[in-house]
């Protein structure tokens, strides 16, 4: 069973930065893609960014220019660098990974890490 463990959340002032990390229990090269989602107050969980096995990055519009996603396949880690944080970025950030296709597709989630941005 794959386990994903997030870290790096915390309290930061508006305009500050945080770097989230997600550690996978196994090799991340087996995943089609890995990414970050978040659940902000009163909202459903939403995609923030993902990175494919080929290293292609995708960021949602609200993240472009402020956030970046990267991975270290040797350490089985992915990162979310968040700069110029805003109060509306406050929420729980979840790591996600997917592997396989069709009937053999599997999806995994971490427990989440809290990010709080004070204005």
């Amino acid at each position: 069973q794959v386990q994903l463990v997030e870290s790096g959340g915390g309290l930061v002032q508006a305009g500050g930065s945080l770097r989230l990390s997600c550690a996978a229990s196994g090799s991340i090269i087996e995943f089609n893609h890995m990414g970050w989602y978040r659940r902000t107050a009163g909202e459903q969980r939403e995609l923030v960014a993902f990175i494919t096995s080929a290293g292609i990055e995708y960021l949602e519009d609200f993240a472009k220019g402020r956030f970046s996603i990267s991975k270290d396949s040797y350490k089985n880690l992915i990162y979310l660098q968040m700069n110029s944080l805003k109060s509306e970025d406050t929420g729980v950030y979840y790591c996600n990974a997917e592997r396989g296709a069709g009937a053999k597709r599997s999806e995994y989630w971490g427990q989440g890490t809290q990010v709080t941005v004070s204005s």
Side-chain angles (χ1 to χ4, degrees):
Q1 182 69 11
V2 172
Q3 290 188 325
L4 303 174
V5 179
E6 304 95 336
S7 61
L11 175 64
V12 64
Q13 288 188 333
S17 299
L18 283 174
R19 188 176 80 156
L20 306 183
S21 299
C22 172
S25 59
S27 174
I28 67 172
I29 64 174
E30 65 186 46
F31 295 119
N32 303 331
H33 56 77
M34 295 184 71
W36 293 92
Y37 286 71
R38 71 182 187 182
R39 179 178 281 127
T40 56
E43 301 292 334
Q44 293 188 347
R45 188 156 53 186
E46 62 179 350
L47 175 67
V48 178
F50 69 80
I51 185 166
T52 71
S53 58
I56 298 171
E57 302 165 19
Y58 172 84
L59 291 99
E60 287 290 346
D61 285 345
F62 66 80
K64 291 177 181 177
R66 299 190 300 130
F67 296 1
S68 62
I69 186 170
S70 61
K71 64 179 179 177
D72 185 331
S73 298
Y74 295 101
K75 296 182 179 179
N76 297 321
L77 290 166
I78 69 165
Y79 304 99
L80 183 68
Q81 178 67 44
M82 303 187 294
N83 302 323
S84 302
L85 282 162
K86 306 174 182 179
S87 57
E88 52 262 44
D89 293 319
T90 294
V92 181
Y93 285 69
Y94 299 90
C95 182
N96 169 269
E98 179 184 298
R99 67 182 178 186
K104 295 185 178 181
R105 176 182 172 275
S106 298
E107 190 172 31
Y108 305 94
W109 293 92
Q111 292 298 308
T113 185
Q114 176 71 44
V115 171
T116 303
V117 184
S118 62
S119 57

